[in-house]
Amino acid sequence: MIYKSIQTVLMFSIVFLLCIGTALAQNTGTIEGQLFDQQTQEPLISANVFIQSLNKGAATDADGNFTIENVPYGTYDLRISYIGYTTKTISVTVDQPTVNINETLTQDVSQLDDVVVTAYGVERQINQLPYAAQKVNVEQVTTSGSDNFISALSGRVSGMKVQTASGMGGSTDIVLRGYNSLTGNNQALFVVDGVPYANERFNSASVEAGFAGYDYGNTGVDINPEAIESITVLKGPSAAALYGSRASNGAIVIETKKGAPGRELVDISYNTSVGVSMVNSNTFPDYQQQYGAGYFPSFFSQDVDGDGQAESDPVARYTADASYGPKFDPDLNVYQWDAFYPGSPNFGKPTPWMAAENGPLEFFETGTNVKNSLLINGGIESGGYYSLGYTQGNTRGVLPNSSLDEYKLSFSSGYQISEKLQVNASVDYSKTEGVGRPERGYSTIMSEFRQWWQTNVDVNAQKDAYFRNNQNLSWNLVGDKSGPFYWNNPYFERYQNFASDERNRYFGHAEAQYEVLDWLSLTGRVAIDNYNQLIEERVNVSSVGVSNYFRQNETFTEYNYDLLANYNKQLNDKIIIDGVVGANIRRQYVEGISASTNGGLLVPGLYALSNSVNSILYPGETDRKLGVNGYFASFNLNYDNFLNIALTGRRDKSSSLPEGNNVYYYPSASVGFTFSEFVDADWFSLGKLRGSWSEVGNTAPAFSLQDTYQRPANFGAAGLYTLPNTKNNSTLKPEKTKSWEAGLQLGFVNNRLFLDASYYDQNTLNQILPVNVSAASGYTSKFVNAGNVENRGVEVTLRGRPMVSNDFSWEITANWSKNINTVKELAPGVDYYEFVGPQGGVSIGATDVGNKAYGAIRGSDFIYHENGQPIVGDNGYYQTTNTSDNIIGNMNPEWRGGVSNQFNYKNISFNFLVDVRWGGDVFSLDQWYGQGTGLYKITAGLNQKGNPKRDPVSEGGGVKLPGVNEDGSTNDIYADASNVLGPYGFVRNPSAAYIYDGSYVKLREVGVSYSLPQSLVGQTGILNSATISAVGRNLWIIHKNLPNADPEQTLAAGNVQGYQGGNLPATRNVTFNLKLNF
Amino acid sequence: MKKLILVVFAFVLVLGSCDVSDLNENEKDPTDVPADPLFSNAQVAMSTFLHNTNVNLNIFKLISQQWTTTTYTAEPRYELDSRGIPDNVWIEIYRDVLIDLKEARLKIEANEVLPAAVKANKLGSIQVMRALAYSSLVNIFGTVPYEEALNPDNTQPTYTDGQTIYMDLLTRLDTAISNFDASADGFGSADVFYNGDISKWIKFANSLKLRLAITIADVNPSVAQTAIEEAAPNAFTSNADNALVPFQSSPPNTNPVWEALVQSGRQDYLPAAPLVSRMNNLDDPRRPVFFTEDPDPTDSEQFSGGVYGQTNDYINFSHFSALIKEKDRAGVILGYDEVEFILAEAAARGYNVSGTAATHYNAAIRADMEYWGVPDAEIAAYLVQLDVAYTTAGSTFREKIGTQKWFALFMQGLQAWTEVRRLDEPDLQAPPLAPIDTYPKRFTYPADEQIFNQANYSDGASSMGGDMLTTPIFWDVN
């Protein structure tokens, strides 16, 4: 059927060729010329020259030359633009075969007049857009030293949240204008050269819920960042309505670099970078150094030395994964974990009882990142271009035995077959290999270090113990010392129990563009996005728990067939209309199989399904086929450059909704009015108002219509089937997002001061969600259409150039956004919808009562006196509610912002970016457990009387907690703080005690670059330019409130945020780049 | 114009030739299955639940104070909410047991070709399993959804009081018993308890009827007496009749106790002092069967249990024996010893059952000890001890039977807890730092019910006198 469609497209393309191939001949000419910098008179490389009325343009080569061929005789507005320069529009009359133009541009770092690429490849000036879009500085993104270009977008676009889960290759959450869908995808759509680019996440639901698991990142990182020419962020549904439901959360539109068509010219650029990353100790536990192993301050008494006396042999409590043990005393010799392993230097020997010299911070290594890339862009004189790129990145993470290797090959080419027919094709291949990706969440190494650790354990001693014989010699032994209890030796865990993954991806398209009429062109395109992924997870014999080998193979394939008719016509000297009419067929196939060993591994260290102790269970099989057929059309009208109107419409038919309800429409309408055209003042360079409205539909997840039975493993001879946990619904309707927005753009003094502000209001209704229901109904959830989530907010971008002179310029850009998220309604009778119920007695979900938050955090709370103070009971500990449905937090921040500064002095430029998130709560399971086990400094030290807190209350110890007695008077009771049952941590406190303000202010990026002067570069004979730069990323967390961790870190990308437990520390990166153009 | 028409025509043809209706088909999971695998699943899920010892789901071995923990004491201290234990119990029984039983019943009822006797036997087996599941729910929570439960079109079912549920379960058991036909087939190999032997199901149904009846003996003596007198002659007569779940030697259907004690590699659990010390007092010959000897030579006792509800050093106490930790040790769902204890109590209450309280009491203890392989001579020696012999063991039948039944229900945590609450023997105390200072009478309701079924939750709670650990179940009146 698909093939039939391809045939149809091809057939019609041929029909067109035959019918129209001999189209009327017309006199045409060539515009050529050279562009220079007005001050330096140096040629401008890769500047754009564009004839809007013909939708035709060219880029300058290394000498600043450009050529536009086949221009029908006539007079045109030629727009000349270049990044960092003021765009110029000149009038050109073509009345002879060759028209020559030499022009100069003046520097303008405000970059206001950039051409952006909107839906379906329509290029527009950003000023003319009637909806919100923002362009990203690609240069800064690709040189940022971040291990994926998506995370480097953080702070650069107002209203865009980019949050990356901790650790090498972590998944990135990219959300525009807040979370809309309660259970569906809220991620922005990636579109590369007009084709949707799958950005699937590979982290299990259990990672999001705080349980142990690996995060394999998202597949959007497969794009070769060096080949990116431009990134445009279409923020609202209006901008993206043409792409259909997947763009209801906005779109990131990426165009790749193309060579210079029609010029026999080759551009070669070579980029190499070396980066290092180091753990930021400010985001890792700062342990107390006064007490060691134990839940209570006592040693084991065991007769270790064989003299028949147990009392004389103090043994550190190796079973306890806590540090509430006896006070350190370097004069006291104690048998510790390393006294019990033969071969250990301390075997059978007691050692001084003191805090470890090397704490868990020493576990982390210095990460490295080496990247090399080569990009060749070339033009073909007879019409056409090619672009060939290769990028290789090799990353070593800060965790031992972790690496991420990426190989990206991209090729694109186009050829002008005839005056009317142009063909383009591209193919990208990428290979991603991860080894030892970080495991996050509960019962991982990070949970061990942050929650359950003994401060007397020396990490280097654990390292030596592991490397002596590669065995699991853990500090945490079971009572009879026969093996590890709760925790493995962390080195054994890293070197033996690691996951690995490999993904091979092909992404390519072929298209033919045919110019039917001078104002109408037809494009047929076939695009394929395909990857195969293998994930393997390992747990070796002798680990805590059951040894295991798990593997998952998955093949993802998406086909997009597009037929587009682009039109662009100047009706008279004031009115230009353009737009597209199109059809899209999308088919997505996901096939996979996963299996794991059963009952453990027979031979240690052999990771094969056949090495299973017991026969393996049924493999899991995935086989999903989904499709959408869509028609769409857009109409843009520009009246005399001051009025822009855009109308779009799309009709989709989706396979995952029931027949009869599976067709939905998205209309959108936008208008922009440039009132500065009517103001004659030199200082007022731009004034524009815009407004838009749209309605976007969304479809249901696969297989949510019909009930099917699940197959548990056989019980002896009995085969089992069971009803599923979620009741499906055969009457689902499409989900709808209604939105409107208004915007204002103001530019002053040649746009040296520029403001772009938007207000938006969007409601997502009829949400398709598996609502939780009483399990007494026989199901725990049921698919319904219900709910209304509203997001309202303001986005502001302010840009200024306070200083501009011949040699020096300073530009400052501030992005600020505030989103107010309100759950207006859930399903009838339901006032809370849980996303996850992780450990710590908390639940994260959406509620339409209380703070009405998408991302409310619920849990037990303090009991407050009417004077607002928490009540302390007679025992000196806080009283807590025995209900856990109290709203104790909200994961959404109050606002986000970023300020970037760029200074240029001659050939040197310096930039820095400060990124701010203000507000938003985080529950810290690390503090909940880690304070409970006595790891953190707050659990030790001195009390209000100046005595050790951990001393008995009768001897002046204990802690007087801030709060009041039941009568409202200030608490004066000292509570015992000597052991795990003390006032800190999970035993005595409500969940609310571990809610922290997640605000942060970060120096996200500092960069300095130096371009060799053109005079010097010229002498080499082959070089066109050479730039060296150094970029520091995440160097300094200027402000935060969450102790011992980075409030920005999440467990995994996804709808659940505001929870930390077992996260990796943040890293500081410094990267050196060398970029050469030949 | 011709060109434009062609363009339009191309679009229509492209999309018209390609529909989406053959996509989104789940090709890997069935839309219909026979009743048998659903019944098997319910049977396995219920049995595994009863023997589970995962702290997120089944903490009854702790609550009954037969087991305790080494490091993490939240669960023996009745902290139910931080792990959502009531939610998990509720989900397990309603969603993973009862709905599959109902689905199996509907499919059998709709089966027009099934012989009537087989149909009756299958429906009867389903009713017995259903009674086991619902009585467990009542014994844990009290008033629970029943009449309106298991209907996805009504996701906010009302609650029904435990007494009404018990009465309905007894009626349904009677119907099942009278409809059973031992000469016809039942579920065959899909029946993991009895491999389809209906004569055993008749005994199991009667034994379960005894259990339900004795449970309400204090609150509804006349119903209890009638039911017990009816069921007594047809209940289990030896350990060969026991309802057992034959755990397998290969995961994931191994004995959950093996999973917790051996497979995990952890040392989280210990026999609890309240049990071990009482067994020590009576020189109970089951101790070496259940426990290892105390490894700590400084201790005077041969067997010792961990302090209940507090942290314990694993190495200082007795551990569970190799037998208890066997991978494929069968789990008792209802044993012959329990039947004999019920008959003993019935006799003591003056019901008309054959034999005396003392003979049934002795038979009960003997049945349990024989089940665990205690030699005859040791059983005989045990039974003649003054503190064991029925006439001298205590002043009331509650005292006499309570402690011995509690011993015999070792490894059947839920039933042990139920009997301790009902008989108030042995006298068990709440541990320090528990949220209540008395022995718990029930579980609090799932937090999910407070959210998703709020009105009915409130009605259910208030009809019982509150949603607390200390609110008694309807049968707990003495």
Side-chain angles (χ1 to χ4, degrees):
Chain A
M1 186 198 62
I2 294 302
Y3 302 100
K4 213 165 90 189
S5 318
I6 302 174
Q7 277 178 0
T8 315
V9 174
L10 283 177
M11 201 181 79
F12 272 88
S13 304
I14 292 165
V15 169
F16 288 136
L17 279 178
L18 293 175
C19 300
I20 332 163
T22 53
L24 29 145
Q26 201 177 2
N27 280 334
T28 59
T30 299
I31 304 173
E32 58 179 44
Q34 206 172 4
L35 303 180
F36 302 95
D37 182 301
Q38 193 174 34
Q39 273 159 6
T40 63
Q41 288 300 312
E42 281 175 3
L44 297 175
I45 305 156
S46 297
N48 281 310
V49 186
F50 192 73
I51 307 172
Q52 188 150 345
S53 58
L54 296 180
N55 208 359
K56 202 164 199 175
T60 57
D61 63 17
D63 301 320
N65 292 315
F66 71 93
T67 309
I68 306 174
E69 291 175 328
N70 301 316
V71 181
Y73 281 9
T75 300
Y76 301 98
D77 281 341
L78 193 66
R79 193 171 45 68
I80 304 165
S81 61
Y82 187 51
I83 295 174
Y85 288 77
T86 305
T87 298
K88 204 174 205 178
T89 303
I90 58 168
S91 180
V92 180
T93 302
V94 181
D95 52 5
Q96 50 187 316
T98 305
V99 179
N100 214 304
I101 289 161
N102 286 324
E103 279 296 326
T104 57
L105 291 182
T106 47
Q107 279 210 15
D108 169 10
V109 278
S110 73
Q111 303 170 11
L112 286 182
D113 303 325
D114 274 351
V115 172
V116 297
V117 181
T118 63
Y120 286 100
V122 178
E123 285 195 340
R124 303 193 69 85
Q125 272 187 293
I126 205 157
N127 273 353
Q128 288 186 1
L129 288 179
Y131 41 74
Q134 194 168 347
K135 196 164 175 169
V136 180
N137 182 329
V138 174
E139 192 73 13
Q140 285 180 359
V141 167
T142 52
T143 58
S144 74
S146 166
D147 68 3
N148 86 62
F149 83 95
I150 301 175
S151 71
L153 298 172
S154 180
R156 299 189 199 276
V157 177
S158 64
M160 181 163 79
K161 174 203 161 188
V162 179
Q163 197 162 1
T164 304
S166 56
M168 179 191 79
S171 56
T172 304
D173 200 28
I174 182 154
V175 177
L176 290 155
R177 296 186 169 174
Y179 293 86
N180 293 311
S181 181
L182 286 165
T183 56
N185 187 8
N186 283 299
Q187 308 289 311
L189 174 73
F190 280 79
V191 179
V192 176
D193 290 336
V195 180
Y197 194 85
N199 183 27
E200 304 287 316
R201 279 179 289 129
F202 282 90
N203 43 58
S204 57
S206 71
V207 188
E208 286 187 36
F211 302 107
Y214 299 97
D215 176 359
Y216 297 96
N218 11 0
T219 60
V221 301
D222 292 344
I223 301 167
N224 181 359
E226 303 297 332
I228 295 175
E229 170 76 32
S230 71
I231 300 174
T232 307
V233 179
L234 304 179
K235 294 181 184 175
S238 303
L242 268 192
Y243 285 116
S245 58
R246 285 200 298 185
S248 58
N249 304 303
I252 315 281
V253 177
I254 293 170
E255 289 290 305
T256 60
K257 288 175 178 158
K258 317 262 187 310
R263 298 287 292 178
E264 189 74 52
L265 183 102
V266 184
D267 248 354
I268 300 172
S269 73
Y270 172 71
N271 200 348
T272 182
S273 71
V274 178
V276 291
S277 53
M278 283 152 291
V279 164
N280 180 341
S281 61
N282 196 18
T283 59
F284 196 68
D286 190 11
Y287 300 91
Q288 56 84 9
Q289 308 254 312
Q290 294 149 274
Y291 303 85
Y295 276 88
F296 295 88
S298 70
F299 293 112
F300 280 133
S301 294
Q302 295 172 357
D303 180 16
V304 181
D305 55 12
D307 66 355
Q309 300 288 318
E311 273 65 40
S312 59
D313 300 352
V315 175
R317 288 184 171 267
Y318 50 78
T319 57
D321 47 353
S323 296
Y324 262 114
K327 194 176 177 65
F328 286 131
D329 176 1
D331 298 329
L332 178 66
N333 284 328
V334 175
Y335 294 98
Q336 304 188 38
W337 64 271
D338 53 354
F340 302 109
Y341 291 115
S344 157
N346 290 330
F347 179 62
K349 281 193 267 184
T351 44
W353 185 234
M354 52 198 282
E357 198 180 325
N358 302 294
L361 194 58
E362 299 301 315
F363 185 70
F364 299 96
E365 300 172 350
T366 299
T368 59
N369 180 338
V370 180
K371 197 178 270 183
N372 284 290
S373 92
L374 186 68
L375 187 72
I376 302 169
N377 281 318
I380 301 167
E381 196 158 15
S382 53
Y385 67 91
Y386 57 88
S387 175
L388 178 65
Y390 176 71
T391 297
Q392 175 175 339
N394 304 89
T395 303
R396 299 288 168 270
V398 293
L399 285 170
N401 191 33
S402 65
S403 65
L404 183 64
D405 297 310
E406 298 163 287
Y407 308 90
K408 298 166 203 235
L409 188 62
S410 59
F411 177 73
S412 69
S413 181
Y415 190 69
Q416 186 92 32
I417 292 176
S418 74
E419 279 187 11
K420 298 270 176 190
L421 185 65
Q422 162 98 19
V423 288
N424 298 306
S426 75
V427 58
D428 290 3
Y429 165 74
S430 70
K431 184 188 186 81
T432 306
E433 288 177 312
V435 173
R437 289 202 194 236
E439 203 184 4
R440 276 191 293 271
Y442 194 68
S443 81
T444 61
I445 296 178
M446 289 307 125
S447 154
E448 175 179 1
F449 288 162
R450 289 177 180 277
Q451 301 166 0
W452 311 96
W453 183 248
Q454 294 181 354
T455 50
N456 50 298
V457 173
D458 189 302
V459 154
N460 284 355
Q462 279 279 288
K463 185 180 190 175
D464 294 343
Y466 170 72
F467 281 108
R468 264 201 312 277
N469 48 21
N470 297 345
Q471 298 292 307
N472 188 11
L473 307 186
S474 172
W475 53 273
N476 181 221
L477 286 157
V478 289
D480 61 9
K481 309 184 192 85
S482 58
F485 198 167
Y486 303 115
W487 304 101
N488 293 320
N489 177 311
Y491 289 90
F492 180 86
E493 178 91 16
R494 288 300 309 167
Y495 283 94
Q496 303 280 332
N497 299 347
F498 61 92
S500 62
D501 57 281
E502 183 180 326
R503 180 168 64 243
N504 286 287
R505 184 171 189 166
Y506 300 90
F507 175 80
H509 77 275
E511 69 180 19
Q513 288 178 341
Y514 186 78
E515 202 180 305
V516 183
L517 300 167
D518 62 350
W519 55 271
L520 178 68
S521 70
L522 196 63
T523 304
R525 178 163 62 212
V526 182
I528 298 172
D529 186 359
N530 162 269
Y531 58 78
N532 290 288
Q533 181 164 272
L534 167 67
I535 284 174
E536 292 175 283
E537 296 176 2
R538 303 163 184 78
V539 178
N540 205 355
V541 175
S542 85
S543 302
V544 172
V546 186
S547 56
N548 190 46
Y549 168 63
F550 164 87
R551 65 173 290 160
Q552 178 188 40
N553 288 76
E554 187 168 294
T555 304
F556 171 98
T557 313
E558 182 170 307
Y559 299 94
N560 276 282
Y561 307 92
D562 292 311
L563 191 56
L564 309 170
N566 283 82
Y567 62 93
N568 186 328
K569 195 167 173 67
Q570 178 131 21
L571 296 182
N572 55 41
D573 63 341
K574 297 221 162 132
I575 300 176
I576 302 170
I577 57 165
D578 70 307
V580 63
V581 177
N584 166 256
I585 296 174
R586 167 154 61 92
R587 293 292 179 270
Q588 196 186 76
Y589 305 102
V590 180
E591 283 177 52
I593 187 161
S594 62
S596 68
T597 56
N598 183 26
L601 301 173
L602 200 56
V603 176
L606 175 64
Y607 297 102
L609 292 172
S610 58
N611 191 30
S612 179
V613 168
N614 297 108
S615 298
I616 67 166
L617 304 177
Y618 312 121
E621 290 179 90
T622 309
D623 190 356
R624 284 197 310 270
K625 300 182 175 75
L626 294 176
V628 171
N629 290 352
Y631 293 100
F632 50 87
S634 71
F635 172 82
N636 303 308
L637 184 147
N638 178 313
Y639 183 80
D640 205 13
N641 275 334
F642 69 83
L643 187 66
N644 285 283
I645 293 170
L647 302 172
T648 72
R650 182 169 170 130
R651 172 199 188 267
D652 272 357
K653 186 173 186 182
S654 165
S655 65
S656 54
L657 283 167
E659 201 76 40
N661 275 343
N662 62 350
V663 172
Y664 41 96
Y665 297 87
Y666 342 96
S668 89
S670 317
V671 60
F673 173 61
T674 310
F675 57 87
S676 51
E677 297 281 322
F678 304 97
V679 180
D680 190 20
D682 278 351
W683 54 270
F684 190 51
S685 40
L686 177 70
K688 196 184 104 189
L689 275 171
R690 59 169 190 255
S692 71
W693 164 89
S694 75
E695 201 172 296
V696 188
N698 206 351
T699 187
F703 306 151
S704 38
L705 305 179
Q706 191 179 20
D707 290 328
T708 53
Y709 297 83
Q710 310 295 307
R711 180 88 163 99
N714 287 351
F715 189 93
L720 312 186
Y721 262 110
T722 180
L723 280 168
N725 302 341
T726 300
K727 178 75 185 164
N728 284 335
N729 184 342
S730 58
T731 63
L732 288 177
K733 291 180 299 198
E735 194 169 293
K736 277 210 178 326
T737 299
K738 295 179 178 179
S739 72
W740 64 269
E741 67 176 81
L744 175 69
Q745 283 176 319
L746 293 173
F748 303 99
V749 198
N750 258 335
N751 290 338
R752 277 183 65 175
L753 181 63
F754 176 77
L755 172 88
D756 188 338
S758 304
Y759 174 83
Y760 59 87
D761 184 327
Q762 55 197 48
N763 278 270
T764 302
L765 310 160
N766 278 346
Q767 303 225 0
I768 295 168
L769 66 157
V771 287
N772 301 120
V773 294
S774 165
S777 68
Y779 296 86
T780 33
S781 55
K782 181 182 174 182
F783 267 106
V784 296
N785 281 108
N788 176 359
V789 175
E790 181 187 75
N791 280 290
R792 287 192 291 173
V794 178
E795 295 157 351
V796 181
T797 300
L798 188 65
R799 195 178 292 148
R801 282 175 295 143
M803 293 180 73
V804 186
S805 72
N806 281 354
D807 288 337
F808 181 77
S809 71
W810 172 26
E811 180 183 343
I812 178 165
T813 305
N815 289 310
W816 185 87
S817 62
K818 180 177 177 67
N819 181 64
I820 299 171
N821 172 290
T822 313
V823 178
K824 302 196 84 163
E825 194 183 301
L826 290 168
V830 175
D831 62 14
Y832 182 70
Y833 179 81
E834 181 177 276
F835 302 152
V836 290
Q839 287 198 62
V842 294
S843 167
I844 300 174
T847 180
D848 61 359
V849 295
N851 61 8
K852 297 196 171 199
Y854 180 110
I857 306 172
R858 309 210 312 181
S860 56
D861 203 350
F862 293 102
I863 295 177
Y864 290 96
H865 190 266
E866 53 195 29
N867 65 16
Q869 294 290 308
I871 295 176
V872 179
D874 297 340
N875 53 9
Y877 302 114
Y878 286 119
Q879 293 191 349
T880 70
T881 60
N882 45 26
T883 52
S884 52
D885 57 353
N886 312 284
I887 294 171
I888 55 176
N890 179 351
M891 73 181 198
N892 297 291
E894 286 170 37
W895 55 266
R896 289 174 187 282
V899 178
S900 71
N901 280 276
Q902 170 124 18
F903 303 91
N904 293 307
Y905 176 71
K906 290 186 175 168
N907 294 329
I908 300 172
S909 82
F910 172 74
N911 69 284
F912 67 89
L913 170 65
V914 175
D915 197 356
V916 183
R917 177 179 90 167
W918 205 255
D921 296 318
V922 178
F923 174 84
S924 172
L925 189 74
D926 296 327
Q927 294 294 325
W928 159 268
Y929 280 129
Q931 289 190 25
T933 59
L935 299 186
Y936 294 104
K937 286 212 156 130
I938 189 173
T939 64
L942 303 179
N943 65 10
Q944 292 92 330
K945 295 176 186 166
N947 298 327
K949 283 180 181 177
R950 293 199 187 180
D951 281 2
V953 175
S954 57
E955 294 169 22
V959 175
K960 193 167 70 172
L961 292 173
V964 296
N965 300 318
E966 284 196 41
D967 62 7
S969 60
T970 305
N971 171 49
D972 54 3
I973 303 163
Y974 277 81
D976 182 81
S978 66
N979 60 55
V980 71
L981 302 173
Y984 302 108
F986 58 100
V987 178
R988 297 281 190 183
N989 286 305
S991 308
Y994 301 94
I995 294 280
Y996 294 87
D997 171 32
S999 299
Y1000 59 77
V1001 179
K1002 290 186 174 189
L1003 179 60
R1004 178 74 69 193
E1005 210 170 286
V1006 183
V1008 57
S1009 76
Y1010 174 72
S1011 301
L1012 262 60
Q1014 209 59 39
S1015 52
L1016 211 66
V1017 168
Q1019 285 173 9
T1020 61
I1022 51 163
L1023 266 183
N1024 280 330
S1025 72
T1027 307
I1028 51 171
S1029 62
V1031 181
R1033 193 165 164 77
N1034 295 324
L1035 292 185
W1036 182 25
I1037 300 177
I1038 301 165
H1039 168 80
K1040 69 179 176 94
N1041 298 315
L1042 176 66
N1044 310 114
D1046 177 0
E1048 187 186 4
Q1049 302 289 355
T1050 65
L1051 286 168
N1055 297 348
V1056 181
Q1057 309 288 326
Y1059 184 85
Q1060 283 202 0
N1063 284 66
L1064 273 94
T1067 52
R1068 299 182 164 111
N1069 306 51
V1070 177
T1071 308
F1072 300 93
N1073 294 286
L1074 170 67
K1075 187 168 194 167
L1076 302 173
N1077 277 300
F1078 301 95
Chain B
M1 202 59 207
K2 203 166 72 186
K3 291 173 194 165
L4 287 177
I5 291 168
L6 263 168
V7 170
V8 172
F9 189 61
F11 277 88
V12 172
L13 214 106
V14 166
L15 279 184
S17 66
C18 195
D19 198 24
V20 296
S21 57
D22 56 339
L23 302 166
N24 197 35
E25 294 287 328
N26 188 340
E27 293 167 19
K28 298 296 179 186
D29 296 315
T31 52
D32 192 21
V33 296
D36 290 20
L38 292 165
F39 176 78
S40 304
N41 184 68
Q43 233 185 351
V44 170
M46 187 68 207
S47 312
T48 309
F49 163 70
L50 288 172
H51 287 277
N52 206 311
T53 192
N54 183 317
V55 289
N56 296 303
L57 180 62
N58 179 332
I59 60 166
F60 303 114
K61 293 183 191 67
L62 301 170
I63 300 287
S64 65
Q65 301 199 7
Q66 297 176 333
W67 287 32
T68 193
T69 54
T70 52
T71 315
Y72 305 116
T73 61
E75 288 74 33
R77 287 186 290 108
Y78 316 140
E79 285 183 9
L80 306 180
D81 283 338
S82 66
R83 290 180 183 274
I85 298 164
D87 289 280
N88 296 335
V89 171
W90 196 267
I91 288 168
E92 185 70 22
I93 299 182
Y94 279 112
R95 189 193 70 187
D96 299 346
V97 176
L98 285 167
I99 191 77
D100 286 332
L101 287 174
K102 182 186 173 186
E103 187 81 353
R105 174 175 65 79
L106 293 175
K107 287 184 190 297
I108 291 165
E109 283 172 354
N111 189 334
E112 292 174 6
V113 296
L114 202 61
V118 177
K119 202 172 202 175
N121 284 343
K122 287 189 171 186
L123 291 173
S125 306
I126 289 172
Q127 286 303 329
V128 176
M129 287 308 300
R130 182 179 179 278
L132 177 68
Y134 266 120
S135 61
S136 300
L137 270 173
V138 171
N139 294 349
I140 296 166
F141 296 105
T143 298
V144 294
Y146 184 74
E147 281 147 6
E148 294 186 0
L150 307 176
N151 175 9
D153 293 329
N154 174 14
T155 54
Q156 302 192 355
T158 55
Y159 285 45
T160 302
D161 73 276
Q163 173 121 328
T164 308
I165 296 171
Y166 257 68
M167 292 305 149
D168 190 51
L169 296 179
L170 284 169
T171 309
R172 284 163 178 259
L173 277 179
D174 284 341
T175 310
I177 290 166
S178 63
N179 289 346
F180 272 132
D181 179 351
S183 67
D185 285 344
F187 275 109
S189 63
D191 165 17
V192 304
F193 290 176
Y194 295 119
N195 202 26
D197 182 344
I198 296 302
S199 64
K200 299 279 192 190
W201 275 93
I202 295 171
K203 289 183 174 185
F204 180 34
N206 279 289
S207 304
L208 187 63
K209 183 175 168 184
L210 285 178
R211 180 194 273 182
L212 265 53
I214 201 73
T215 307
I216 60 169
D218 285 341
V219 68
N220 204 335
S222 61
V223 171
Q225 181 169 357
T226 311
I228 287 171
E229 290 172 0
E230 282 168 6
N234 305 311
F236 295 155
T237 52
S238 78
N239 279 329
D241 294 332
N242 287 356
L244 300 176
V245 51
F247 286 114
Q248 308 287 300
S249 57
S250 162
N253 292 310
T254 43
N255 192 311
V257 171
W258 171 80
E259 290 164 18
L261 300 181
V262 181
Q263 190 191 33
S264 72
R266 294 170 47 142
Q267 296 176 344
D268 286 324
Y269 298 105
L270 287 170
L275 177 71
V276 181
S277 59
R278 280 176 173 83
M279 292 179 100
N280 282 342
N281 292 343
L282 300 175
D283 276 330
D284 198 306
R286 283 168 289 199
R287 289 173 301 162
V289 181
F290 295 164
F291 315 127
T292 62
E293 291 186 16
D294 187 340
D296 184 354
T298 59
D299 234 318
S300 55
E301 291 283 2
Q302 194 184 359
F303 297 97
S304 68
V307 183
Y308 183 75
Q310 299 184 35
T311 56
N312 293 290
D313 290 328
Y314 185 79
I315 48 170
N316 291 345
F317 301 96
S318 290
H319 308 141
F320 294 106
S321 69
L323 174 69
I324 294 297
K325 295 197 284 194
E326 264 178 19
K327 204 182 203 177
D328 56 354
R329 184 175 54 76
V332 180
I333 304 301
L334 205 166
Y336 168 56
D337 58 298
E338 188 180 340
V339 167
E340 286 293 346
F341 274 119
I342 295 168
L343 295 179
E345 188 178 336
R349 286 174 183 267
Y351 300 173
N352 184 17
V353 290
S354 65
T356 63
T359 55
H360 287 300
Y361 172 83
N362 282 348
I365 297 172
R366 176 172 289 279
D368 184 57
M369 291 196 172
E370 284 177 349
Y371 178 80
W372 291 108
V374 175
D376 246 15
E378 290 181 27
I379 299 173
Y382 183 73
L383 289 174
V384 298
Q385 291 184 74
L386 285 180
D387 289 339
V388 175
Y390 189 76
T391 44
T392 50
S395 53
T396 65
F397 75 81
R398 289 172 195 278
E399 200 179 334
K400 293 166 197 282
I401 294 171
T403 301
Q404 284 299 334
K405 196 170 183 181
W406 182 59
F407 290 163
L409 288 169
F410 179 63
M411 305 303 288
Q412 297 179 60
L414 174 58
Q415 195 55 29
W417 179 39
T418 299
E419 296 298 350
V420 172
R421 287 178 289 167
R422 188 176 67 82
L423 295 169
D424 300 311
E425 288 290 343
D427 183 19
L428 301 176
Q429 304 301 322
L433 292 175
I436 52 172
D437 54 9
T438 57
Y439 191 67
K441 302 276 191 196
R442 64 183 280 277
F443 270 15
T444 49
Y445 282 126
D448 280 354
E449 282 296 299
Q450 304 173 35
I451 302 165
F452 307 124
N453 196 9
Q454 207 164 23
N456 295 314
Y457 156 81
S458 301
D459 289 351
S462 62
S463 74
M464 272 194 305
D467 179 19
M468 291 168 292
L469 288 168
T470 51
T471 314
I473 309 290
F474 80 96
W475 43 252
D476 191 3
V477 291
N478 286 345

